[in-house]
Amino acid sequence: MGLKCYKVLFTLVVFFLGMFINNISLASGVKTLDDGWSPISPSDPSMVDIAKFAVNAHNEGHPESRVVFDRLVSGWFSGYPNPTYNMTIAAKSDIVRKYLALLAERPYMNSLWLLD
């Protein structure tokens, strides 16, 4: 076989391997949005801690409108190695309301901050 034949064979193997890996990831059941966001579990303790951090950060920046964390309602996660979280959090002042929080994390700097 000539060198050209090996190149064609290599290209076909890589193509079909990519198709196989893509099918496995689609069959895994993890749903993502087209832009790379994946759902988080509201019962995951690490996600609850991040939601509590968001409420505390809000309270530090807005002492006139303090709220108390009630629960994590839902959320989405994007990015590696720099995770970003988009969360819906139930918190209460006089009544329980839902708030949206956008947070960014830099694990290599051991930092997390509330963006919005």
Side-chain angles (χ1 to χ4, degrees):
M1 268 196 224
L3 185 59
K4 195 172 198 176
C5 196
Y6 282 116
K7 286 182 181 179
V8 170
L9 184 60
F10 177 76
T11 303
L12 287 173
V13 168
V14 169
F15 174 76
F16 285 113
L17 184 60
M19 294 291 288
F20 177 74
I21 290 171
N22 188 37
N23 285 336
I24 289 174
S25 65
L26 291 175
S28 67
V30 176
K31 296 179 182 175
T32 61
L33 295 178
D34 289 340
D35 58 358
W37 289 87
S38 301
I40 60 172
S41 170
S43 61
D44 181 347
S46 63
M47 295 298 115
V48 171
D49 287 343
I50 292 171
K52 287 179 180 178
F53 172 86
V55 170
N56 290 335
H58 164 79
N59 289 338
E60 287 176 9
H62 305 282
E64 72 284 355
S65 62
R66 293 183 61 82
V67 293
V68 177
F69 178 81
D70 185 56
R71 66 188 167 89
L72 175 59
V73 177
S74 64
W76 294 86
F77 162 84
S78 177
Y80 178 82
N82 299 318
T84 304
Y85 305 92
N86 186 345
M87 299 179 160
T88 302
I89 301 168
K92 56 187 169 187
S93 53
D94 52 346
I95 60 172
V96 175
R97 295 185 180 154
K98 292 181 182 174
Y99 298 88
L100 297 177
L102 182 63
L103 300 105
E105 182 178 16
R106 299 300 178 258
Y108 56 89
M109 295 173 55
N110 199 23
S111 65
L112 177 68
W113 65 92
L114 182 64
L115 299 173
D116 191 21

